[in-house]
Amino acid sequence: MTNQTTFIDVASVLKLLSDKTRLQMLALLQIDECCVCEFVEFFQMSQPSISQHLRKLRDARVVHEERRGQWVYYSLNLSHPQVELINNILNQCPSQIAAIETWNASGNRVKCATNILAGSKEK
Amino acid sequence: MTNQTTFIDVASVLKLLSDKTRLQMLALLQIDECCVCEFVEFFQMSQPSISQHLRKLRDARVVHEERRGQWVYYSLNLSHPQVELINNILNQCPSQIAAIETWNASGNRVKCATNILAGSKEK
DNA sequence: AGATTATATAAGTACATACTAATATCATTT
DNA sequence: AAATGATATTAGTATGTACTTATATAATCT
């Protein structure tokens, strides 16, 4: 007997994704994991504000958190019970591929990313 | 040049649907139009509360309102710019077909519905 | 016209949300 | 061990939300 999703379950996910910042965070994570400082720079928002949004996403297990040294990387949790709903929603959002490419090309992307990438290559 | 949907557009729809009552209202409307008094009875909520939820849905043009005599009937607006997103979400919700059948069979469904149905048959 | 029924609106309230500013925690570097 | 950098948490505040109670509007019926 599979547990049926309730209206409350769906409404909770929608409430979580109904903030434009959190929604775009997930759209970015759909492409690649990000660390907190990258989000801070991308959204031009304060670090506590970003951390608080990420905490909500993490508490709901929509994203997964992984510490690597000083940095904490976030990624989509593809095993979330509502992953199908979440993907359907994200597919209705503007693709962030071009935005990420522009960001990379701009040279504004924070150094932690390249550090980590360089670090992982060394292993 | 088609106007691209923004994160704010999507987030607004999600916020609107992130209330469990409004979400279930739309799931009911996916099956059949309903008038206010039917919602009041179905949800066992106060009439002002129901009307306020319906006003939000109407203000966002997610539902269409049509007065028939004393009654005001609400139906899904299938021309809403985000109709695909809305349908994707509703498809993740529990089907209300059985709930409506149970409700009809219970004899609790308010009389305005049958009156209107009888009236429409006369035409 | 007056009474009744259906619906909408307004005002008030309790609670939730998204931010800021300040501080704490944790890992790394010197 | 102290300094630095990244992230988390806390407290405070302004705004938003979903309800209640009371009232207004609109259509129908007598």
Side-chain angles (χ1 to χ4, degrees):
Chain A
M1 208 64 47
T2 62
N3 276 335
Q4 174 68 49
T5 303
T6 68
F7 284 100
I8 293 177
D9 295 332
V10 174
S12 302
V13 169
L14 299 184
K15 190 154 88 173
L16 190 68
L17 303 210
S18 70
D19 178 273
K20 68 182 195 301
T21 303
R22 287 195 293 273
L23 189 60
Q24 192 167 7
M25 280 175 161
L26 295 179
L28 291 167
L29 292 180
Q30 231 187 0
I31 296 169
D32 198 8
E33 57 179 14
C34 279
C35 71
V36 180
C37 59
E38 290 180 286
F39 281 131
V40 168
E41 192 206 80
F42 185 89
F43 289 104
Q44 295 284 312
M45 286 173 69
S46 75
Q47 176 268 317
S49 187
I50 293 292
S51 273
Q52 284 158 10
H53 282 302
L54 287 169
R55 180 164 58 165
K56 291 197 172 198
L57 293 171
R58 174 169 41 84
D59 285 353
R61 299 177 173 276
V62 166
V63 300
H64 177 245
E65 150 191 299
E66 183 186 340
R67 180 175 277 275
R68 295 188 205 147
Q70 275 178 296
W71 297 282
V72 177
Y73 275 73
Y74 285 88
S75 54
L76 284 189
N77 174 15
L78 301 176
S79 311
H80 190 278
Q82 311 274 6
V83 71
E84 191 179 337
L85 170 61
I86 294 167
N87 277 324
N88 282 343
I89 292 168
L90 294 179
N91 289 340
Q92 300 290 327
C93 292
S95 165
Q96 291 308 93
I97 293 177
I100 287 193
E101 280 172 0
T102 305
W103 184 29
N104 283 332
S106 74
N108 286 331
R109 196 160 181 181
V110 286
K111 292 166 205 89
C112 70
T114 46
N115 286 346
I116 282 289
L117 288 174
S120 65
K121 276 175 200 153
E122 286 164 9
K123 296 271 162 81
Chain B
M1 213 58 51
T2 61
N3 276 335
Q4 174 66 49
T5 303
T6 68
F7 284 100
I8 293 177
D9 295 333
V10 174
S12 302
V13 169
L14 298 184
K15 189 153 90 173
L16 191 68
L17 304 209
S18 70
D19 177 273
K20 67 181 196 302
T21 303
R22 287 195 294 272
L23 190 60
Q24 191 166 8
M25 280 176 161
L26 295 179
L28 291 167
L29 292 180
Q30 230 186 0
I31 297 169
D32 198 10
E33 58 180 14
C34 279
C35 71
V36 179
C37 59
E38 290 181 286
F39 281 131
V40 168
E41 192 206 80
F42 185 90
F43 288 103
Q44 296 284 312
M45 287 173 70
S46 75
Q47 176 267 318
S49 187
I50 293 292
S51 273
Q52 284 158 9
H53 282 302
L54 288 168
R55 180 164 56 166
K56 291 196 172 196
L57 293 171
R58 174 169 41 84
D59 285 352
R61 299 179 172 275
V62 166
V63 300
H64 178 244
E65 151 192 298
E66 183 187 340
R67 181 174 276 275
R68 295 189 206 146
Q70 276 178 296
W71 298 281
V72 176
Y73 274 74
Y74 285 87
S75 54
L76 285 188
N77 174 13
L78 301 177
S79 311
H80 189 278
Q82 312 275 5
V83 72
E84 192 179 338
L85 170 62
I86 294 167
N87 277 324
N88 282 343
I89 292 168
L90 295 179
N91 290 340
Q92 302 289 328
C93 291
S95 165
Q96 290 308 94
I97 293 177
I100 287 193
E101 280 172 1
T102 304
W103 183 29
N104 283 332
S106 74
N108 285 333
R109 195 159 181 180
V110 287
K111 292 169 206 88
C112 70
T114 46
N115 285 346
I116 283 288
L117 288 174
S120 65
K121 276 177 201 153
E122 286 164 9
K123 295 274 164 76

PDB file of all heavy atoms in Angstrom, chain A residues 41-42 44 98-110:
ATOM      1  N   GLU A  41      26.847  35.714  -3.705  1.00  0.00           N
ATOM      2  CA  GLU A  41      27.263  36.606  -4.770  1.00  0.00           C
ATOM      3  C   GLU A  41      26.256  36.664  -5.908  1.00  0.00           C
ATOM      4  O   GLU A  41      25.918  37.737  -6.411  1.00  0.00           O
ATOM      5  CB  GLU A  41      28.619  36.165  -5.302  1.00  0.00           C
ATOM      6  CG  GLU A  41      29.236  37.210  -6.190  1.00  0.00           C
ATOM      7  CD  GLU A  41      30.169  36.585  -7.165  1.00  0.00           C
ATOM      8  OE1 GLU A  41      29.684  36.041  -8.186  1.00  0.00           O
ATOM      9  OE2 GLU A  41      31.375  36.614  -6.903  1.00  0.00           O
ATOM     10  N   PHE A  42      25.746  35.496  -6.280  1.00  0.00           N
ATOM     11  CA  PHE A  42      24.810  35.440  -7.404  1.00  0.00           C
ATOM     12  C   PHE A  42      23.575  36.295  -7.136  1.00  0.00           C
ATOM     13  O   PHE A  42      23.137  37.064  -7.980  1.00  0.00           O
ATOM     14  CB  PHE A  42      24.398  33.995  -7.676  1.00  0.00           C
ATOM     15  CG  PHE A  42      23.527  33.832  -8.897  1.00  0.00           C
ATOM     16  CD1 PHE A  42      24.094  33.617 -10.146  1.00  0.00           C
ATOM     17  CD2 PHE A  42      22.149  33.905  -8.793  1.00  0.00           C
ATOM     18  CE1 PHE A  42      23.294  33.458 -11.270  1.00  0.00           C
ATOM     19  CE2 PHE A  42      21.344  33.759  -9.924  1.00  0.00           C
ATOM     20  CZ  PHE A  42      21.923  33.540 -11.151  1.00  0.00           C
ATOM     21  N   GLN A  44      23.280  38.585  -4.776  1.00  0.00           N
ATOM     22  CA  GLN A  44      23.575  39.890  -4.185  1.00  0.00           C
ATOM     23  C   GLN A  44      22.726  40.102  -2.940  1.00  0.00           C
ATOM     24  O   GLN A  44      22.102  41.162  -2.763  1.00  0.00           O
ATOM     25  CB  GLN A  44      23.327  41.010  -5.213  1.00  0.00           C
ATOM     26  CG  GLN A  44      24.254  40.947  -6.406  1.00  0.00           C
ATOM     27  CD  GLN A  44      25.659  41.457  -6.073  1.00  0.00           C
ATOM     28  OE1 GLN A  44      25.820  42.503  -5.483  1.00  0.00           O
ATOM     29  NE2 GLN A  44      26.676  40.675  -6.420  1.00  0.00           N
ATOM     30  N   ALA A  98      22.146  29.630 -19.368  1.00  0.00           N
ATOM     31  CA  ALA A  98      22.761  30.843 -19.916  1.00  0.00           C
ATOM     32  C   ALA A  98      23.218  31.761 -18.791  1.00  0.00           C
ATOM     33  O   ALA A  98      24.313  32.345 -18.849  1.00  0.00           O
ATOM     34  CB  ALA A  98      21.774  31.566 -20.828  1.00  0.00           C
ATOM     35  N   ALA A  99      22.397  31.880 -17.737  1.00  0.00           N
ATOM     36  CA  ALA A  99      22.750  32.760 -16.620  1.00  0.00           C
ATOM     37  C   ALA A  99      24.046  32.311 -15.967  1.00  0.00           C
ATOM     38  O   ALA A  99      24.906  33.135 -15.636  1.00  0.00           O
ATOM     39  CB  ALA A  99      21.615  32.779 -15.588  1.00  0.00           C
ATOM     40  N   ILE A 100      24.199  31.009 -15.800  1.00  0.00           N
ATOM     41  CA  ILE A 100      25.416  30.495 -15.172  1.00  0.00           C
ATOM     42  C   ILE A 100      26.626  30.723 -16.072  1.00  0.00           C
ATOM     43  O   ILE A 100      27.705  31.116 -15.609  1.00  0.00           O
ATOM     44  CB  ILE A 100      25.246  29.001 -14.824  1.00  0.00           C
ATOM     45  CG1 ILE A 100      24.299  28.859 -13.616  1.00  0.00           C
ATOM     46  CG2 ILE A 100      26.596  28.361 -14.508  1.00  0.00           C
ATOM     47  CD1 ILE A 100      24.288  27.505 -12.988  1.00  0.00           C
ATOM     48  N   GLU A 101      26.432  30.518 -17.368  1.00  0.00           N
ATOM     49  CA  GLU A 101      27.546  30.736 -18.294  1.00  0.00           C
ATOM     50  C   GLU A 101      27.991  32.197 -18.287  1.00  0.00           C
ATOM     51  O   GLU A 101      29.184  32.504 -18.269  1.00  0.00           O
ATOM     52  CB  GLU A 101      27.168  30.295 -19.706  1.00  0.00           C
ATOM     53  CG  GLU A 101      27.278  28.776 -19.877  1.00  0.00           C
ATOM     54  CD  GLU A 101      26.730  28.286 -21.214  1.00  0.00           C
ATOM     55  OE1 GLU A 101      26.265  29.127 -22.019  1.00  0.00           O
ATOM     56  OE2 GLU A 101      26.757  27.058 -21.448  1.00  0.00           O
ATOM     57  N   THR A 102      27.009  33.084 -18.307  1.00  0.00           N
ATOM     58  CA  THR A 102      27.326  34.511 -18.250  1.00  0.00           C
ATOM     59  C   THR A 102      28.079  34.838 -16.974  1.00  0.00           C
ATOM     60  O   THR A 102      29.066  35.580 -16.977  1.00  0.00           O
ATOM     61  CB  THR A 102      26.022  35.343 -18.281  1.00  0.00           C
ATOM     62  OG1 THR A 102      25.286  34.970 -19.433  1.00  0.00           O
ATOM     63  CG2 THR A 102      26.319  36.832 -18.309  1.00  0.00           C
ATOM     64  N   TRP A 103      27.622  34.263 -15.891  1.00  0.00           N
ATOM     65  CA  TRP A 103      28.226  34.498 -14.579  1.00  0.00           C
ATOM     66  C   TRP A 103      29.676  34.007 -14.558  1.00  0.00           C
ATOM     67  O   TRP A 103      30.586  34.720 -14.140  1.00  0.00           O
ATOM     68  CB  TRP A 103      27.374  33.766 -13.533  1.00  0.00           C
ATOM     69  CG  TRP A 103      27.758  33.948 -12.117  1.00  0.00           C
ATOM     70  CD1 TRP A 103      28.367  35.020 -11.540  1.00  0.00           C
ATOM     71  CD2 TRP A 103      27.537  33.019 -11.068  1.00  0.00           C
ATOM     72  NE1 TRP A 103      28.524  34.814 -10.203  1.00  0.00           N
ATOM     73  CE2 TRP A 103      28.028  33.592  -9.885  1.00  0.00           C
ATOM     74  CE3 TRP A 103      26.955  31.744 -11.003  1.00  0.00           C
ATOM     75  CZ2 TRP A 103      27.959  32.941  -8.661  1.00  0.00           C
ATOM     76  CZ3 TRP A 103      26.882  31.100  -9.789  1.00  0.00           C
ATOM     77  CH2 TRP A 103      27.387  31.692  -8.631  1.00  0.00           C
ATOM     78  N   ASN A 104      29.872  32.802 -15.076  1.00  0.00           N
ATOM     79  CA  ASN A 104      31.236  32.273 -15.162  1.00  0.00           C
ATOM     80  C   ASN A 104      32.117  33.183 -16.014  1.00  0.00           C
ATOM     81  O   ASN A 104      33.234  33.533 -15.626  1.00  0.00           O
ATOM     82  CB  ASN A 104      31.224  30.882 -15.800  1.00  0.00           C
ATOM     83  CG  ASN A 104      30.764  29.815 -14.829  1.00  0.00           C
ATOM     84  OD1 ASN A 104      30.937  29.952 -13.615  1.00  0.00           O
ATOM     85  ND2 ASN A 104      30.175  28.750 -15.346  1.00  0.00           N
ATOM     86  N   ALA A 105      31.582  33.573 -17.186  1.00  0.00           N
ATOM     87  CA  ALA A 105      32.370  34.361 -18.123  1.00  0.00           C
ATOM     88  C   ALA A 105      32.677  35.749 -17.575  1.00  0.00           C
ATOM     89  O   ALA A 105      33.679  36.362 -17.929  1.00  0.00           O
ATOM     90  CB  ALA A 105      31.614  34.479 -19.447  1.00  0.00           C
ATOM     91  N   SER A 106      31.812  36.255 -16.701  1.00  0.00           N
ATOM     92  CA  SER A 106      31.965  37.621 -16.187  1.00  0.00           C
ATOM     93  C   SER A 106      33.190  37.752 -15.285  1.00  0.00           C
ATOM     94  O   SER A 106      33.651  38.861 -15.022  1.00  0.00           O
ATOM     95  CB  SER A 106      30.729  38.027 -15.390  1.00  0.00           C
ATOM     96  OG  SER A 106      30.704  37.369 -14.132  1.00  0.00           O
ATOM     97  N   GLY A 107      33.670  36.619 -14.791  1.00  0.00           N
ATOM     98  CA  GLY A 107      34.787  36.680 -13.866  1.00  0.00           C
ATOM     99  C   GLY A 107      34.374  37.067 -12.461  1.00  0.00           C
ATOM    100  O   GLY A 107      35.202  37.247 -11.576  1.00  0.00           O
ATOM    101  N   ASN A 108      33.066  37.214 -12.253  1.00  0.00           N
ATOM    102  CA  ASN A 108      32.582  37.609 -10.924  1.00  0.00           C
ATOM    103  C   ASN A 108      32.378  36.420  -9.996  1.00  0.00           C
ATOM    104  O   ASN A 108      32.137  36.594  -8.815  1.00  0.00           O
ATOM    105  CB  ASN A 108      31.258  38.361 -11.039  1.00  0.00           C
ATOM    106  CG  ASN A 108      31.464  39.765 -11.566  1.00  0.00           C
ATOM    107  OD1 ASN A 108      32.524  40.352 -11.357  1.00  0.00           O
ATOM    108  ND2 ASN A 108      30.464  40.293 -12.255  1.00  0.00           N
ATOM    109  N   ARG A 109      32.430  35.230 -10.554  1.00  0.00           N
ATOM    110  CA  ARG A 109      32.145  34.064  -9.714  1.00  0.00           C
ATOM    111  C   ARG A 109      33.243  33.935  -8.670  1.00  0.00           C
ATOM    112  O   ARG A 109      34.429  34.028  -8.999  1.00  0.00           O
ATOM    113  CB  ARG A 109      32.052  32.800 -10.574  1.00  0.00           C
ATOM    114  CG  ARG A 109      31.393  31.674  -9.813  1.00  0.00           C
ATOM    115  CD  ARG A 109      30.851  30.615 -10.734  1.00  0.00           C
ATOM    116  NE  ARG A 109      30.201  29.562  -9.983  1.00  0.00           N
ATOM    117  CZ  ARG A 109      29.650  28.493 -10.531  1.00  0.00           C
ATOM    118  NH1 ARG A 109      29.665  28.347 -11.845  1.00  0.00           N
ATOM    119  NH2 ARG A 109      29.077  27.575  -9.778  1.00  0.00           N
ATOM    120  N   VAL A 110      32.819  33.718  -7.441  1.00  0.00           N
ATOM    121  CA  VAL A 110      33.758  33.736  -6.319  1.00  0.00           C
ATOM    122  C   VAL A 110      34.802  32.642  -6.451  1.00  0.00           C
ATOM    123  O   VAL A 110      34.601  31.645  -7.127  1.00  0.00           O
ATOM    124  CB  VAL A 110      33.014  33.600  -4.978  1.00  0.00           C
ATOM    125  CG1 VAL A 110      32.304  34.895  -4.658  1.00  0.00           C
ATOM    126  CG2 VAL A 110      32.082  32.424  -5.001  1.00  0.00           C
TER     127      VAL A 110
END
